[in-house]
């Protein structure tokens, strides 16, 4: 039964991807035909973009494009989630801080990222040298993952079984013991789900920081350069590569969640 459910889920994902590419091809061919005598179109069909990716090779998208962006996204992902998890744990140790921490999380979610990015460039600056990670991009990546991880962790901690918490309390366990022995175990699925969502948002935050001019390399800078050139195939290729990398990170965290928390799927641990 569960094997059939997995196959159905995989088949649904494949159908979704194929449908997306078919819609892309239809829109490109029917809605944006090439200009007469030039062959230029702002929305090239997927086979043209894929051939551009194959011709350029992996190194063309890694050196000076993905490498810097992924470095910034990784550092921002680490710091943003670490701070979020520490504050979520603090909510359980000091309950009266919950409204304050949740308000901070909601505020970070509601802030206009473009405005925050402009201020961050003035306050933090960008890359000190070519090839160095941008401080602004790291900050924006951390900012964009903060809200989901705080909310997911707090809800996960609060989902702990009351009977198990009472057992720890009866045997003289402290609030810290409850957090480590019971609440953390109960919160692992929610935390991993939040981290899974944080992967593409961290990449988006890093790209936005680069797009605002905090560095001379990376995906954001590459998109700015390509916008001024009649090269839509490469522009869409960069976009597609970024989407595939974000999807790969999302699926990888999903696989980790399935392996770490087998009880969620009803499998033996």
């Amino acid at each position: 039964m569960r094997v059939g459910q997995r196959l159905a889920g995989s088949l649904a994902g494949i159908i979704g991807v194929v449908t997306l590419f078919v819609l892309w091809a239809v829109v490109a061919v029917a809605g944006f035909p090439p200009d007469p005598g030039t062959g230029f179109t702002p929305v090239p069909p997927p086979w043209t973009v894929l051939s551009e990716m194959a011709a350029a090779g992996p190194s063309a998208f890694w050196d000076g494009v993905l490498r810097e962006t992924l470095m910034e996204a990784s550092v921002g992902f680490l710091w943003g989630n670490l701070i979020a998890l520490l504050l979520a744990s603090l909510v359980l140790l000091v309950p009266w801080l919950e409204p304050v921490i949740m308000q901070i999380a909601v505020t970070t979610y509601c802030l206009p990222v473009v405005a925050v990015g402009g201020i961050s460039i003035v306050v933090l600056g960008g890359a000190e040298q070519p090839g160095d990670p941008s401080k602004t991009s790291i900050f924006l990546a951390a900012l964009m993952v903060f809200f989901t991880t705080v909310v997911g962790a707090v809800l996960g901690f609060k989902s702990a079984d009351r009977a198990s918490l009472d057992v720890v309390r009866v045997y003289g366990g402290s609030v810290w013991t409850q957090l480590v022995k019971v609440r953390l175990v109960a919160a692992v699925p929610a935390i991993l789900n939040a981290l899974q969502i944080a992967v593409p948002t961290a990449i988006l935050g890093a790209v936005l920081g680069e797009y605002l001019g905090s560095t001379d390399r990376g995906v954001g800078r590459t998109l700015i350069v390509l916008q001024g050139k009649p090269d839509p195939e490469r522009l869409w290729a960069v976009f597609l590569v970024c989407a595939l990398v974000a999807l790969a990170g999302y699926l990888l965290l999903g696989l980790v969640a399935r392996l770490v928390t087998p009880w969620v799927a009803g499998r033996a641990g």
Side-chain angles (χ1 to χ4, degrees):
M1 178 66 177
R2 299 195 180 280
V3 175
Q5 291 177 348
R6 290 199 206 105
L7 291 176
S10 301
L11 182 60
I14 295 174
I15 293 175
V17 172
V18 172
T19 303
L20 182 62
F21 272 86
V22 170
L23 290 176
W24 178 5
V26 171
V27 171
V29 173
F32 296 90
D35 295 336
T38 63
F40 174 83
T41 173
V43 184
W47 51 84
T48 305
V49 176
L50 293 175
S51 60
E52 169 67 22
M53 293 171 57
S59 61
F61 296 97
W62 176 253
D63 295 330
V65 183
L66 279 176
R67 180 171 56 189
E68 286 75 12
T69 302
L70 292 182
M71 183 185 303
E72 295 158 352
S74 300
V75 177
F77 178 89
L78 176 63
W79 280 108
N81 287 309
L82 180 61
I83 295 173
L85 292 175
L86 289 176
L87 291 180
S89 302
L90 191 61
V91 166
L92 299 178
L93 299 176
V94 189
W96 61 267
L97 285 177
E98 179 178 359
V100 178
I101 293 176
M102 295 304 292
Q103 287 178 5
I104 293 174
V106 172
T107 301
T108 60
Y109 182 75
C110 297
L111 289 174
V113 181
V114 176
V116 174
I119 297 174
S120 301
I121 292 177
V122 176
V123 176
L124 301 175
E128 296 181 358
Q129 296 179 356
D132 291 345
S134 166
K135 297 177 182 178
T136 294
S137 294
I138 292 174
F139 174 75
L140 291 182
L143 181 69
M144 295 193 68
V145 306
F146 181 77
F147 173 78
T148 53
T149 303
V150 167
V151 173
V154 170
L155 293 178
F157 287 141
K158 289 187 173 182
S159 67
D161 181 59
R162 302 303 305 177
S164 300
L165 294 173
D166 292 339
V167 169
V168 174
R169 188 182 302 110
V170 168
Y171 279 91
S174 63
V175 176
W176 176 258
T177 305
Q178 291 178 338
L179 174 62
V180 175
K181 298 291 186 179
V182 180
R183 293 189 184 276
L184 183 59
V185 176
V188 168
I191 291 175
L192 289 176
N193 287 336
L195 295 180
Q196 188 178 9
I197 298 173
V199 171
T201 54
I203 296 177
L204 176 60
V207 172
L208 286 176
E210 297 169 347
Y211 198 83
L212 292 173
S214 64
T215 180
D216 62 346
R217 299 187 181 185
V219 174
R221 180 62 180 176
T222 302
L223 293 177
I224 294 176
V225 173
L226 291 176
Q227 284 177 351
K229 297 181 179 180
D231 192 4
E233 290 80 9
R234 184 166 178 81
L235 179 65
W236 279 80
V238 172
F239 161 76
L240 184 58
V241 168
C242 290
L244 292 176
V245 170
L247 178 62
Y250 179 86
L251 294 178
L252 178 61
L253 262 294
L255 178 61
V256 172
R258 289 177 61 86
L259 296 176
V260 174
T261 59
W263 64 87
V264 175
R267 295 180 285 117

